Amino acid sequence: MDAFQRIDALESGHHEVTYHDERWGLTIKRYSNGHSIKVFAEARSGKDFISGNLYLIDDVWSLKPCEMPREKVMSFILGFQQ
């Protein structure tokens, strides 16, 4: 399962996840009939966060991170555990 499938498979709303042995709060919000997904996650320690948007255009997902490296967002999406 790729990063986009992992996020698309989650329901909108808040999720408690684990990433790098730390608890995180993950929020998923959908817009434009599911063609745009906002991903925001914050470490419970308050020391880190993840923010990005996924866009479905012509059946292809694209990631636009918010003021952070794309690799950081992808690593989180691929690495978190429910």
Side-chain angles (χ1 to χ4, degrees), residues 70-82:
R70 182 181 192 281
E71 294 78 18
K72 180 176 180 177
V73 178
M74 288 297 286
S75 177
F76 176 83
I77 292 172
L78 291 171
F80 74 81
Q81 302 295 319
Q82 289 185 288

Side-chain angles (χ1 to χ4, degrees):
M1 182 178 295
D2 69 25
F4 307 109
Q5 291 171 325
R6 288 197 83 202
I7 293 299
D8 195 42
L10 293 173
E11 293 183 19
S12 294
H14 183 79
H15 304 269
E16 290 291 324
V17 300
T18 303
Y19 178 65
H20 289 268
D21 297 322
E22 186 173 4
R23 291 181 49 216
W24 288 66
L26 168 62
T27 301
I28 305 291
K29 293 184 181 180
R30 287 183 168 73
Y31 304 94
S32 302
N33 295 321
H35 291 105
S36 175
I37 303 174
K38 171 73 177 166
V39 176
F40 181 81
E42 187 171 16
R44 290 292 175 221
S45 66
K47 294 180 181 179
D48 203 2
F49 72 97
I50 299 293
S51 183
N53 296 292
L54 304 172
Y55 299 100
L56 182 60
I57 302 170
D58 296 328
D59 295 324
V60 177
W61 283 103
S62 175
L63 170 65
K64 301 293 183 189
C66 298
E67 301 183 20
M68 63 185 52
R70 182 181 192 281
E71 294 78 18
K72 180 176 180 177
V73 178
M74 288 297 286
S75 177
F76 176 83
I77 292 172
L78 291 171
F80 74 81
Q81 302 295 319
Q82 289 185 288

